[in-house]
């Protein structure tokens, strides 16, 4: 039996370093079933406690233009799940749509989709398109992404016309847009500091959406919470 403080440290350490339950059990001097029980109970508690801040931050970011991009979090091959293999990344994972501010701060994360799903489709199925529709519709604050979001209505770089080159004006527009888009890549990099999203998700795939929500809110707290 661990104290609440130690159990919380163990759960956070496991998410940050992507430790297997048996390794955490060895480090913290308990059984692996105890580790898994604390993960189930405390990750839900962390999610509940940090939800008000997360929602507050998300509403605050609606006042300005935002950026969107996708990451593929590796999960390994799963016998009971199809469509996980990403041809772009060359591994099995979950497509996670990420919204960031122009300054590179995390604003929102969508529900995970199979890693083989194209960003333009995952944008809709993850819930991001619906939640941020007012931004990319005419008269909205604005939302930008890369060419993988063609057909979604958000601002993307100009494509070169068949058999012709882009005009100088459109080239300059693309350069400016790509500079802005670097901010969402920084937000994704910070999110992936939680190695549970970077080095291979070890637990049941059914747990991934809840873990993603918890890690997203922890990253929001790290940036916006009290120092």
């Amino acid at each position: 039996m661990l104290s609440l403080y130690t159990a919380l440290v163990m759960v956070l350490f496991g998410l940050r370093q992507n430790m297997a339950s048996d390794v955490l059990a060895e480090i913290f001097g308990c059984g692996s079933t105890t580790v898994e029980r604390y993960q189930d109970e405390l990750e839900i508690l962390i999610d509940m406690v940090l939800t008000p801040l997360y929602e507050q931050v998300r509403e605050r970011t609606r006042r300005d233009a935002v950026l969107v991009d996708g990451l593929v979090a590796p999960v390994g091959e799963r016998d009971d799940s199809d469509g996980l293999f990403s041809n772009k990344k060359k591994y099995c994972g979950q497509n996670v749509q990420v919204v960031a501010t122009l300054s590179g701060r995390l604003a929102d994360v969508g529900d995970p989709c199979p890693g083989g799903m194209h960003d333009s489709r995952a944008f809709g199925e993850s819930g991001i398109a619906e939640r941020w529709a007012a931004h990319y519709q005419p008269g909205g604050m604005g939302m930008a992404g890369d060419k993988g979001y063609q057909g979604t209505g958000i601002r993307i770089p100009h494509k070169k016309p068949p058999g012709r080159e882009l005009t100088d004006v459109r080239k300059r527009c693309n350069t400016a847009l790509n500079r802005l888009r670097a901010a969402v890549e920084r937000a994704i990099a910070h999110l992936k500091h939680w190695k549970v999203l970077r080095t291979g998700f070890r637990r049941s795939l059914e747990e991934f959406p809840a873990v993603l929500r918890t890690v997203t809110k922890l990253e929001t707290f790290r940036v916006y919470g009290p120092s």
Side-chain angles (χ1 to χ4, degrees):
M1 188 71 175
L2 302 178
S3 68
L4 178 58
Y5 176 79
T6 303
L8 185 59
V9 169
M10 180 184 68
V11 169
L12 294 175
F13 183 72
L15 292 172
R16 193 70 169 181
Q17 301 299 328
N18 195 24
M19 291 287 186
S21 59
D22 57 340
V23 177
L24 287 171
E26 184 71 21
I27 293 173
F28 287 88
C30 60
S32 58
T33 55
T34 300
V35 172
E36 292 165 1
R37 176 168 59 84
Y38 280 128
Q39 287 174 327
D40 290 342
E41 295 175 355
L42 293 181
E43 285 173 6
I44 292 174
L45 181 61
I46 292 168
D47 185 303
M48 291 174 58
V49 169
L50 297 183
T51 291
L53 173 64
Y54 177 65
E55 292 180 346
Q56 180 184 9
V57 168
R58 193 166 65 184
E59 288 306 310
R60 191 187 311 165
T61 58
R62 292 185 186 278
R63 303 170 188 170
D64 201 355
V66 293
L67 306 162
V68 65
D69 202 356
L71 73 90
V72 179
V75 299
E77 295 184 9
R78 307 286 176 136
D79 292 336
D80 56 348
S81 299
D82 297 324
L84 296 179
F85 185 76
S86 167
N87 287 320
K88 182 178 180 180
K89 299 295 184 179
K90 305 304 180 186
Y91 57 76
C92 293
Q94 292 276 270
N95 184 316
V96 178
Q97 295 292 298
V98 177
V99 177
T101 68
L102 299 182
S103 61
R105 292 189 169 187
L106 186 66
D108 197 7
V109 167
D111 295 332
C113 299
M117 186 177 292
H118 196 276
D119 278 339
S120 60
R121 181 179 173 188
F123 177 67
E125 297 200 9
S126 67
I128 291 295
E130 181 179 358
R131 288 203 292 272
W132 294 88
H135 266 63
Y136 61 86
Q137 290 177 352
M141 298 301 296
M143 173 179 274
D146 62 23
K147 293 178 181 178
Y149 293 92
Q150 184 176 5
T152 61
I154 70 174
R155 180 64 60 85
I156 64 171
H158 295 289
K159 296 184 68 176
K160 185 161 58 173
R164 291 184 293 156
E165 295 294 324
L166 287 173
T167 65
D168 289 341
V169 172
R170 291 197 167 190
K171 287 180 181 179
R172 288 196 294 271
C173 287
N174 283 0
T175 299
L177 183 57
N178 288 333
R179 286 174 178 167
L180 283 176
R181 285 191 54 259
V184 70
E185 295 171 1
R186 291 198 302 272
I188 288 174
H190 285 300
L191 188 61
K192 290 167 67 175
H193 283 166
W194 297 89
K195 292 184 180 179
V196 71
L197 300 182
R198 178 162 61 91
T199 60
F201 188 70
R202 302 172 183 274
R203 293 151 62 177
S204 167
L205 199 57
E206 293 179 352
E207 297 179 62
F208 185 81
V211 170
L212 174 63
R213 288 193 299 270
T214 299
V215 168
T216 299
K217 292 169 186 178
L218 283 166
E219 179 59 21
T220 301
F221 179 77
R222 185 192 69 81
V223 176
Y224 293 95
S227 57

